[in-house]
Amino acid sequence: GTLQNMLEITLDMLLSGSPEKAPEIIRMEDKVNTLFKAVRAYAVDLTRKGISEHDQRRVTALLRYTASLENAGDVVCKTMIGIPEGMKKDGKQFSDEGKLELARLFRYLIGNSQLAAEVIMAWHPDTAGVLVQRKRAMKAMCHDSSRQHIVRLSQAPTDAMGSSSAHLDLISDLRWMSTQISSIGYDVLPESE
């Protein structure tokens, strides 16, 4: 659940406009990276010992999944957590509608990452199918959010202009992270699907 916590705290910083919790997120990512190194070492060890084809598939999926979580953590630490500080420095903030949209997307992504963890643990095709559907839904939500944001810009340029590029960057990052994390669903689904 560390990635979920990192996303929760990042959302809180974006909504409140206070960047003070950034070091806490960086500490969390360090912890996650240490854990993933251990998982990788264990997976390599298992493979060396010789395992069935089915187990090999699961180990490969697990390695891909941990890599996608690591990539998502990098995005949070290298891109997202700098946004509240930059906006505070420039005296900018998100509009109320923008905040609502970002909160909705962040929470949906947090749901996807929780479900992805269940998929990798239980290896259940039905749950994997739900995850793939949610990945597609997230893509559509991000597309709609970008479109609505551009409509708002055309209607109230002065208010929304200051936070515009940050808003669109965040949507793009959230969509990318969802694709990364949710791709585990395809590993678990039977190939015919």
Side-chain angles (χ1 to χ4, degrees), residues 8 23 40 42 44 64 105-106 124 128 159 162-163 192:
E8 288 276 8
R40 273 197 293 273
Y42 173 68
V44 168
R64 241 203 318 269
L105 292 172
F106 263 87
H124 204 286
D159 182 35
S163 63
S192 58

Side-chain angles (χ1 to χ4, degrees), residues 129-140:
V130 173
L131 181 63
V132 168
Q133 288 302 324
R134 282 183 61 100
K135 178 184 90 74
R136 290 179 188 142
M138 178 78 179
K139 184 179 171 182

Side-chain angles (χ1 to χ4, degrees), residues 11 15 98-110:
L11 174 62
L15 297 180
K99 284 180 182 177
L100 277 174
E101 263 172 45
L102 288 172
R104 195 166 71 102
L105 292 172
F106 263 87
R107 294 203 171 107
Y108 203 81
L109 175 62
I110 289 165

Side-chain angles (χ1 to χ4, degrees), residues 14 79-88 94 166-167 169-170 173:
L14 289 163
T79 311
M80 287 186 174
I81 63 173
I83 289 174
E85 193 162 357
M87 287 177 72
K88 190 176 183 180
F94 294 110
H167 188 100
D169 285 350
L170 282 165
D173 285 342

